[in-house]
Amino acid sequence: MKSCKIIVVLMAGLALSWGLFLSTAAAKPIKIGVLGPMSFTQGEGHWNGATMAAEEVNAAGGIQVGKEKREIELVKVDTNEFLSIPDATNAVEMAVSRHKVDFLVGGFRTEAVLVMQDIAMESKTVFIGCGAAHPQLCTRVLDDYDTYKYWFRLTPINSSYLGKVDFILLGTAGAIIKKELGVEKVKVAIVAEKAAWADPIVAAAQKIIPEKMGMEVAGVWRPSPVATDCSAELSAIQRAGAHIVFTTFSSSVGLTFAKQMGELKVPAAPVGINVESQKSGFWEATNGAGNYVLTINTYNPVKISEFTIPFVEDYRKRYGEMPNYTAGTHDAIKILQVAIEKAGTINSDEVVKMLEATDLNTAAGRVVFDKSHDVTWGPNYVTALGTQWRDGEMKCVWPYNWEGVTYEGSVPYKLPPWMVEYWKNK
């Protein structure tokens, strides 16, 4: 009799174990394709952010889909989009057809992302963009909702909003120059790399600076995106008497220009877009000459939300550098998690409905998608940041008392001290 009881217990145990096994086996992972130029820092940011998010979600048991928990499986998709749009096309087609990913995040170069977007939409795969800024990516949703509703853009803010922040930073520096140096007419040197994306910014700056900002254009300079010597431009800028150098740099010239400007102690404030100065290695690469460079940015260890500082510090501890904006794949996956759990399914149409209802604090700010599936920009939503290098540290200096917004940990903007000394002695 006793042996029978033992057998029953063993069988019950085996049944329970088998049931658990079946339950685990049934919970297939959710596949998320991470798109990016993986040989470049932008692609590394995509992958690093996504990896952190996936590990955090999986450590907590996975994403709750109906009655089961499903872990995330990331698929690294090297788009090589800097060098070849056909490579990007092939990579996305392979992710969708061969790897059968359930969702896509990432992408960087607009020209490539437009093509990748079409492939994702054709397969009705939800794609959260984390890299390309062109407005057309989202106006497509308005123009043809049924086809493009599976697209959402998370980071960066679109180029129109980038322009707004760019001119806000310029206006902030101009106001401080007027107040601290007693300058009546601030002169601005417009310096932009010779590239198509910079053309509209130059055109807008030439019109807005004199007509709407009350400042004077000291001249326009367009160095090569890969220039290794900008001393001629810097000498001319100094001769023109510029108080501000309004920069538009996405490539290596940003490093060259900032380094030489600091070494020559040009008495002007560098303000604008300088992607090279968003990187942690900028300080070492300029031997400290990049001091006081101000640029638009996305992440900094300030309290944009309760998630910002933990994310930035964890990222820095793990990868030894600040996250660039493509690391917004971290936020993208967390947003997807919430949408899937609310939908109770990974069905694209149902997830889209939940994504459209997103109102969530993320590391980059509060995310609410508008009708074009773009992030809402402005006070109390995602704003982007202005960061300034100060003696080896990247400080957040904007928003600071802007429209009622100051992120805890931000500090006031400062003019370069050699510039202050020069103009006060003029």
Side-chain angles (χ1 to χ4, degrees), residues 19-29 68-70:
L20 287 173
F21 171 74
L22 286 177
S23 173
T24 304
K28 286 170 51 181
E68 64 182 5
K69 285 269 194 180
R70 296 177 61 176

Side-chain angles (χ1 to χ4, degrees), residues 12-76:
L14 285 169
L16 179 60
S17 299
W18 182 244
L20 287 173
F21 171 74
L22 286 177
S23 173
T24 304
K28 286 170 51 181
I30 296 172
K31 283 190 174 183
I32 301 177
V34 183
L35 309 171
M38 297 302 173
S39 299
F40 297 84
T41 183
Q42 292 84 355
E44 288 175 1
H46 286 127
W47 184 249
N48 293 346
T51 299
M52 286 176 62
E55 289 180 357
E56 289 162 13
V57 172
N58 290 343
I63 296 178
Q64 188 75 43
V65 187
K67 293 182 179 179
E68 64 182 5
K69 285 269 194 180
R70 296 177 61 176
E71 291 195 344
I72 292 173
E73 178 183 332
L74 296 181
V75 178
K76 183 185 274 191

Side-chain angles (χ1 to χ4, degrees), residues 5 45 71 82 87 107 133 197 208 221 224 238 294 329 369 408:
K5 284 184 178 177
E71 291 195 344
F82 275 130
D87 281 1
W197 77 274
I208 291 172
W221 287 266
S224 160
Q238 187 163 356
L294 170 61
T329 47
F369 292 110
E408 186 180 321

Side-chain angles (χ1 to χ4, degrees), residues 236-259:
I237 288 167
Q238 187 163 356
R239 286 197 301 274
H243 303 93
I244 297 175
V245 179
F246 189 48
T247 59
T248 304
F249 297 139
S250 70
S251 53
S252 59
V253 67
L255 194 62
T256 302
F257 190 90
K259 186 171 186 288

Side-chain angles (χ1 to χ4, degrees), residues 38-205:
M38 297 302 173
S39 299
F40 297 84
T41 183
Q42 292 84 355
E44 288 175 1
H46 286 127
W47 184 249
N48 293 346
T51 299
M52 286 176 62
E55 289 180 357
E56 289 162 13
V57 172
N58 290 343
I63 296 178
Q64 188 75 43
V65 187
K67 293 182 179 179
E68 64 182 5
K69 285 269 194 180
R70 296 177 61 176
E71 291 195 344
I72 292 173
E73 178 183 332
L74 296 181
V75 178
K76 183 185 274 191
V77 185
D78 187 356
T79 56
N80 193 34
E81 60 203 83
F82 275 130
L83 305 178
S84 168
I85 292 178
D87 281 1
T89 305
N90 294 335
V92 179
E93 284 180 340
M94 187 171 290
V96 172
S97 60
R98 181 180 295 183
H99 297 294
K100 300 190 183 306
V101 298
D102 300 298
F103 300 96
L104 291 165
V105 298
F108 180 74
R109 185 182 170 197
T110 294
E111 294 89 334
V113 176
L114 283 165
V115 180
M116 292 193 269
Q117 187 188 41
D118 281 331
I119 296 168
M121 299 304 104
E122 190 175 339
S123 64
K124 299 188 176 184
T125 304
V126 172
F127 180 4
I128 300 183
C130 303
H134 200 288
Q136 186 185 358
L137 289 160
C138 288
T139 55
R140 281 177 154 188
V141 179
L142 295 176
D143 295 341
D144 185 355
Y145 177 80
D146 288 340
T147 300
Y148 289 99
K149 65 181 178 182
Y150 307 101
W151 161 267
F152 292 79
R153 178 185 15 234
L154 184 63
T155 182
I157 55 175
N158 69 45
S159 49
S160 299
Y161 295 141
L162 283 171
K164 283 188 178 182
V165 176
D166 210 12
F167 286 104
I168 288 172
L169 296 181
L170 175 60
T172 300
I176 291 173
I177 288 170
K178 279 187 176 182
K179 183 179 178 182
E180 294 189 9
L181 303 183
V183 175
E184 289 186 11
K185 197 77 168 179
V186 176
K187 289 186 177 181
V188 181
I190 301 169
V191 185
E193 64 189 26
K194 198 169 182 54
W197 77 274
D199 294 345
I201 296 175
V202 172

